[in-house]
Amino acid sequence: DGGITQSPKYLFRKEGQNVTLSCEQNLNHDAMYWYRQDPGQGLRLIYYSQIVNDFQKGDIAEGYSVSREKKESFPLTVTSAQKNPTAFYLCASEIGTGGTEAFFGQGTRLTVV
Amino acid sequence: AQSVTQPDIHITVSEGASLELRCNYSYGATPYLFWYVQSPGQGLQLLLKYFSGDTLVQGIKGFEAEFKRSQSSFNLRKPSVHWSDAAEYFCAVGAHSSNTGKLIFGQGTTLQVKP
């Protein structure tokens, strides 16, 4: 079945550590996105990529990094520079760019302990 | 700048009652508009979308939405709510600046359904 897979579903990190969240899609979509969700704040865009080996910062990119070495994969690294990383992270993909339809993964809940 | 406002943070309706969730947007051109639903701890599922044409769009699970350009609104409706509709609902607008195609989301409306 085609879809977007995020792993792990739950992730715990100690302060000062980097951690990488996985996002894989087999929909053959060009565009991929990472959103952060906090209660009462909706979804905020962290990074997005329209094509392999290219990505752009979203509204809240500080403390995060990404790579897009393969069309199917768009991992997000939460670095120690991110001051408040505890949140629910959602990955999405879109067949092209132009505001068509985004498909979402099931999310990763990251907790800093 | 593009923005989406969902004025109601939390709504409670009785099962079987009608529902309307409000969404207002700010966008310079004709927008692409979406409604998504999210169950707790899950990803988002698309309910419906408006690109062009008929301003009343039908979606899944019995939902519909109407695009009103004059009011910059895209309200979501359902004639009779079921307990399983309890979830968080997000309105989103497709942003086409710099050809990014990224979605801008409202802050969400949490729907509670009373038995």
Side-chain angles (χ1 to χ4, degrees), chain B residues 2-81:
Chain B
Q2 297 86 1
S3 66
V4 177
T5 301
Q6 294 179 243
D8 304 305
I9 295 173
H10 192 107
I11 283 184
T12 300
V13 300
S14 297
E15 190 168 16
S18 63
L19 171 70
E20 182 169 29
L21 301 182
R22 296 183 291 165
C23 173
N24 295 98
Y25 66 88
S26 173
Y27 192 73
T30 300
Y32 291 176
L33 293 161
F34 306 82
W35 274 100
Y36 285 86
V37 61
Q38 183 183 33
S39 298
Q42 300 296 313
L44 275 66
Q45 181 185 21
L46 181 70
L47 285 175
L48 46 78
K49 59 189 176 186
Y50 171 79
F51 286 175
S52 64
D54 193 344
T55 56
L56 183 64
V57 294
Q58 302 296 321
I60 62 172
K61 304 184 180 186
F63 285 93
E64 67 177 26
E66 186 171 12
F67 170 56
K68 293 186 177 180
R69 184 190 302 275
S70 61
Q71 299 178 20
S72 297
S73 70
F74 188 57
N75 294 348
L76 181 71
R77 301 193 294 249
K78 187 170 184 178
S80 178
V81 170

Side-chain angles (χ1 to χ4, degrees), chain A residues 6-8 11 13-14 16-23 33-36 45-48 55-57 60-69 73-86 89-91 108 110 112:
Chain A
Q6 289 186 242
S7 60
L11 188 57
R13 189 197 91 175
K14 293 182 179 179
Q17 287 182 339
N18 293 356
V19 64
T20 298
L21 283 60
S22 171
C23 179
Y33 306 84
W34 274 106
Y35 289 90
R36 171 179 170 141
L45 183 64
I46 304 172
Y47 269 97
Y48 61 99
F55 48 83
Q56 285 80 40
K57 294 181 179 180
I60 56 165
E62 184 176 354
Y64 300 98
S65 66
V66 293
S67 63
R68 187 83 186 279
E69 297 177 0
S73 179
F74 191 42
L76 173 74
T77 297
V78 184
T79 75
S80 57
Q82 169 50 235
K83 299 305 180 187
N84 185 21
T86 295
Y89 291 86
L90 286 162
C91 180
T108 294
L110 172 63
V112 174

Side-chain angles (χ1 to χ4, degrees), chain B residues 7 70 75 79 81 83-84 89 99:
Chain B
S70 61
N75 294 348
V81 170
W83 64 266
S84 60
Y89 292 80
N99 226 21

Side-chain angles (χ1 to χ4, degrees), chain A residues 9 33 35 37 40-43 45 48 50 59 88 90 94 97-107 109, chain B residues 32 34 36 38 41-44 46 49 51 88 90 94-96 98-108:
Chain A
K9 188 170 178 64
Y33 306 84
Y35 289 90
Q37 185 177 20
Q41 297 195 48
L43 278 70
L45 183 64
Y48 61 99
Q50 298 171 270
D59 302 316
F88 191 54
L90 286 162
E94 189 178 37
T97 57
T100 52
E101 176 183 343
F103 292 81
F104 284 82
Q106 294 298 295
R109 181 164 300 279
Chain B
Y32 291 176
F34 306 82
Y36 285 86
Q38 183 183 33
Q42 300 296 313
L44 275 66
L46 181 70
K49 59 189 176 186
F51 286 175
E88 190 160 19
F90 291 95
H96 301 279
S98 303
N99 226 21
T100 62
K102 59 183 180 180
L103 292 175
I104 296 174
F105 287 85
Q107 296 187 338

